[in-house]
Amino acid sequence: MDNNKSLSEFLQGKSAMSIELFDHFVSCYQQLGDVKFHATKTMIAFSSRINFAYIIQFGKNFIDVVFPFKQPYEDNLCFRKIKPVPGSDDYNHHIRIYYKEDINDEVLEYMYMAYENGNVKLC
């Protein structure tokens, strides 16, 4: 319950459009399996065993999502930038979602890859 309270507090003041996109993003992930998400001070993290995706910004009419991968996936139509994470072997893949339809087959494929990375056993 405390988690939901912090999530609802995090979403206060966000536009109806960005909350609708967030809800759709969550729904897409829940179709893949058991996905947890929680608000931090500045973003919403998605996890299964470990964190695998982050919503880093809520605009008036979009959400910005980051998927960390161990390699850059340059050959795509969905990522607006791919940046190495300093001090890590990860590459952050940034996507901006304006419409529910932006979560197309290509994006779903990367969402699934990120979800699978989140299910890695740490020990």
Side-chain angles (χ1 to χ4, degrees), residues 15-108:
S15 74
M17 177 68 170
S18 65
I19 291 173
E20 189 176 320
L21 291 170
F22 166 73
D23 289 341
H24 182 65
F25 187 78
V26 168
S27 173
C28 289
Y29 258 128
Q30 289 175 332
Q31 292 175 37
L32 293 177
D34 184 29
V35 174
K36 300 172 207 68
F37 53 94
H38 66 279
T40 70
K41 187 174 182 179
T42 59
M43 67 183 81
I44 296 177
F46 289 76
S47 63
S48 45
R49 289 178 190 250
I50 60 173
N51 290 346
F52 60 80
Y54 306 86
I55 296 180
I56 61 168
Q57 184 178 2
F58 282 76
K60 283 188 179 288
N61 63 342
F62 67 87
I63 56 173
D64 279 343
V65 179
V66 171
F67 301 110
F69 292 118
K70 295 293 182 195
Q71 68 185 63
Y73 291 100
E74 303 281 356
D75 188 20
N76 70 80
L77 298 174
C78 59
F79 298 121
R80 57 192 199 102
K81 68 180 172 183
I82 300 172
K83 297 282 185 184
V85 177
S88 169
D89 59 351
D90 285 345
Y91 292 83
N92 278 345
H93 293 64
H94 296 256
I95 182 170
R96 182 166 281 180
I97 299 170
Y98 288 99
Y99 306 100
K100 290 179 182 179
E101 297 77 30
D102 288 345
I103 303 177
N104 58 24
D105 288 344
E106 181 185 37
V107 173
L108 287 168

